[in-house]
């Protein structure tokens, strides 16, 4: 019933915003042929950081989101023991709101620290050597990945974690699908800080061009121009209607983007809130 209602709304809209190209493909497969515009997550770029970091892995994710619970169990059960065997000094920090008892119990394993909610993830990103996103199901652009990339932290992810970025594996991030391959990718970066730093810089450049506030603002502006120019005028003066609507929507979009940027800068990251705990 939800699917039918959502598709009906999409068909009536002048345009639909999608977060990833995979989302757009899903709409096309569902028969939605109207115009769509790619408007990804918005994330501020953090330049201050990097240099050599301690051998610490970071996972960020709210645990009311089932893929995150599955991810940390797979991480702790199949990936982490291999990493610790190769790099005994390695540490794993799990951050995110509402960890259930089975996730909290992972803190009994050597090198794993379960912090739960923290007010700001920035200090943990700054000290982490690698951000991991071992998601085995779920869809959409992951806030944990965009946030890490924006901070210049090298990312190791599955294809589910990498979704929406158009990243080149081995250049912008490392992508692995099995526990053994994932652990190997992590160990490679821990043992080669120069390569890890290069991947972190490349990932940051990638996400700035996709999710940076300026990049998203330009996409929103193009979307407004397209929708306003093609929508039939509903007042007596078409020229006035187009000019007024365009100016009004541009001003509104600037306010929305400014507010979004402020919220991201002040609050704990999206990953820790139940509503967007991906």
């Amino acid at each position: 019933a939800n699917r039918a209602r959502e598709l009906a709304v999409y068909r009536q809209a002048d345009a639909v915003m999608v977060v990833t190209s995979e989302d757009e493909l899903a709409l096309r497969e569902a028969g939605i042929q109207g115009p769509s515009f790619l408007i990804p997550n918005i994330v501020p770029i953090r330049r201050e950081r990097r240099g050599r970091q301690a051998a610490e892995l970071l996972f960020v994710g709210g645990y009311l989101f089932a893929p995150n619970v599955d991810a940390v169990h797979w991480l702790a059960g199949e990936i982490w023991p291999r990493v610790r065997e190769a790099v005994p000094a390695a540490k794993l920090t799990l951050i995110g709101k509402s960890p259930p008892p089975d996730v909290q119990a992972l803190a009994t394993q050597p090198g794993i620290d379960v912090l739960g909610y923290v007010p700001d993830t920035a200090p943990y990103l700054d000290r982490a050597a690698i951000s991991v996103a071992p998601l085995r199901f779920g869809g959409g652009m992951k806030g944990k990945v965009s946030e890490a990339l924006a901070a210049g932290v090298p990312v190791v992810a599955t294809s589910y974690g990498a979704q929406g970025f158009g990243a080149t594996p081995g250049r912008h991030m490392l992508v692995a699908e099995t526990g053994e391959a994932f652990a190997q990718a992590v160990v490679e970066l821990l043992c080669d800080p120069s390569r890890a730093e290069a991947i972190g810089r490349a990932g940051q450049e990638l996400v700035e061009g996709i999710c940076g506030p300026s990049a998203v603002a330009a996409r929103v502006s193009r979307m407004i121009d397209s929708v306003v120019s093609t929508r039939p005028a509903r007042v007596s003066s078409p020229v006035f209607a187009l000019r007024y609507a365009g100016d009004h929507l541009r001003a509104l979009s600037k306010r929305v983007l400014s507010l979004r940027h402020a919220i991201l800068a002040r609050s704990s990251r999206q990953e820790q809130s139940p509503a967007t705990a991906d």
Side-chain angles (χ1 to χ4, degrees), residues 17 21 52 56 83 95 143 153 177 217 231 249 252:
M17 290 182 287
S21 57
R52 183 167 185 150
E56 181 176 354
V83 173
I95 288 176
V153 183
E177 307 298 348
R231 183 179 176 86
L249 289 173
L252 179 61

Side-chain angles (χ1 to χ4, degrees), residues 6-27:
E6 287 186 17
L7 293 177
V9 170
Y10 300 156
R11 291 189 182 96
Q12 295 177 45
D14 295 302
V16 178
M17 290 182 287
V18 296
V19 179
T20 70
S21 57
E22 291 86 353
D23 295 338
E24 185 173 30
L25 178 60
L27 288 181

Side-chain angles (χ1 to χ4, degrees), residues 129-160:
I130 301 170
S131 176
V132 292
L135 297 160
R136 298 193 289 184
F137 60 100
M141 180 176 280
K142 306 303 185 295
K144 63 170 63 61
V145 177
S146 60
E147 182 182 66
L149 293 173
V153 183
V155 171
V156 180
T158 60
S159 57
Y160 285 100

